[in-house]
Amino acid sequence: MESLRNDKQRRILMRFFKTGPGEYGEGDEFLGLKVPQTREVVKLVGTDFPLSEIPQLLMCRWHEVRLCGFLILVSKFEKLATKRLVNNDDAIRARDEILTLYLQYAEQANNWDLVDLSVHKILGHWLLLPSHLGDRDYKLKVLDTLAQSPCLWKQRMSIVCSWKTSQMGDPSWCLRYAEIHLHHPHDLMHKAVGWMLREMGKRVSEDLLREFLRQHAHHMPRTTLRYAIEKLPEQERQYWMAVSKP
């Protein structure tokens, strides 16, 4: 990956991901690789890449190398989550091991792209699959721990993981953590919550989205509201924006 370094692209990415003093990505270092290039590396090493060596990638100074590590975990998890293997005992144990490693190094997903490209495909999918680690109450505790963390990226994980649960027809995770994070102070969380509400409405039920809006639209951040209603009819969008506080 270091041999693919592109200094021009590196400067662009460092601005885009807000790596300057006081910004949310302060101090992050880039090689200048685009995501498709990183995905090609993931394909090259394959799902047989040893799990024991992934922490070395996740602890790397380079943003793209950390992304590569997380995407290898995604590939491994998805291979073990096919219909044929959902209830296979060995696959369950292997998925739990990947999930545990992912959570152990969660703070290394220290920008929104690292979270958004991995969390729903690992943590989000795991929430709806059999696990030897615990039942739904245990899974709620895992997400509550992330949601209550002082780390912005762990907080984002707790809501963005619901992208997968909504895709699989379960709105409960999105609704719970959207409400928990509704008044979060950071704009990145306003966007994440609105995005996940929109996805829940699209994948599960627009009526559930409308019910959430009836309860919360008058006091939710306008950025969150704009993201949440993006796929609703124009006239209805105008109505909800008028309901919210200016």
Side-chain angles (χ1 to χ4, degrees):
M1 293 185 77
E2 288 181 344
S3 73
L4 299 172
R5 178 172 175 149
N6 182 324
D7 285 335
K8 181 179 179 181
Q9 181 69 14
R10 175 177 172 271
R11 289 190 291 271
I12 293 171
L13 291 173
M14 290 181 71
R15 288 195 300 271
F16 183 73
F17 285 105
K18 308 294 184 183
T19 63
E23 296 181 311
Y24 60 73
E26 180 177 357
D28 203 355
E29 296 186 76
F30 287 77
L31 288 168
L33 277 63
K34 295 182 179 180
V35 172
Q37 291 177 286
T38 301
R39 290 195 184 277
E40 284 300 316
V41 175
V42 174
K43 288 181 183 178
L44 184 66
V45 301
T47 55
D48 293 331
F49 190 86
L51 197 65
S52 61
E53 293 186 23
I54 290 179
Q56 186 176 348
L57 302 180
L58 300 182
M59 293 303 295
C60 183
R61 61 184 284 204
W62 301 116
H63 183 104
E64 297 92 337
V65 176
R66 296 197 303 280
L67 175 59
C68 183
F70 285 118
L71 292 181
I72 293 172
L73 288 180
V74 167
S75 295
K76 285 179 172 290
F77 192 95
E78 289 183 329
K79 185 177 180 181
L80 293 162
T82 59
K83 287 184 179 180
R84 183 176 63 86
L85 293 175
V86 163
N87 295 301
N88 178 277
D89 193 68
D90 289 339
I92 292 172
R93 294 183 188 281
R95 291 196 304 261
D96 286 346
E97 187 177 6
I98 291 169
L99 183 280
T100 300
L101 183 65
Y102 184 78
L103 293 175
Q104 183 180 351
Y105 289 91
E107 288 193 22
Q108 295 304 111
N110 58 347
N111 215 312
W112 58 264
D113 63 317
L114 300 176
V115 173
D116 297 358
L117 290 171
S118 63
V119 71
H120 60 298
K121 294 183 176 181
I122 298 176
L123 177 57
H125 202 170
W126 174 81
L127 292 173
L128 299 183
L129 293 172
S131 170
H132 293 319
L133 295 175
D135 57 11
R136 184 181 174 91
D137 286 343
Y138 173 82
K139 293 175 178 180
L140 282 168
K141 288 179 183 177
V142 169
L143 259 66
D144 284 349
T145 299
L146 291 172
Q148 295 161 11
S149 168
C151 174
L152 172 64
W153 310 115
K154 288 185 176 182
Q155 294 166 7
R156 188 175 175 97
M157 283 181 172
S158 70
I159 181 64
V160 175
C161 71
S162 72
W163 191 3
K164 185 68 173 183
T165 55
S166 292
Q167 287 175 353
M168 297 177 73
D170 185 344
S172 62
W173 304 91
C174 173
L175 294 171
R176 175 182 174 85
Y177 292 96
E179 191 163 11
I180 286 173
H181 291 305
L182 198 58
H183 300 294
H184 195 285
H186 204 292
D187 183 63
L188 283 176
M189 290 297 289
H190 297 173
K191 293 175 179 177
V193 170
W195 171 29
M196 290 303 107
L197 286 169
R198 182 185 74 218
E199 289 299 312
M200 187 279 298
K202 182 172 71 174
R203 302 285 185 169
V204 184
S205 168
E206 284 190 348
D207 287 339
L208 277 177
L209 172 59
R210 292 184 178 103
E211 178 58 31
F212 187 94
L213 294 174
R214 278 192 285 272
Q215 295 179 43
H216 301 291
H218 63 286
H219 62 82
M220 62 198 296
R222 288 177 72 81
T223 297
T224 301
L225 181 59
R226 280 196 298 270
Y227 272 64
I229 65 177
E230 189 176 16
K231 297 300 182 181
L232 297 178
E234 170 64 24
Q235 188 172 358
E236 186 175 0
R237 294 202 304 272
Q238 292 178 6
Y239 166 78
W240 290 117
M241 292 306 294
V243 166
S244 71
K245 292 181 180 180

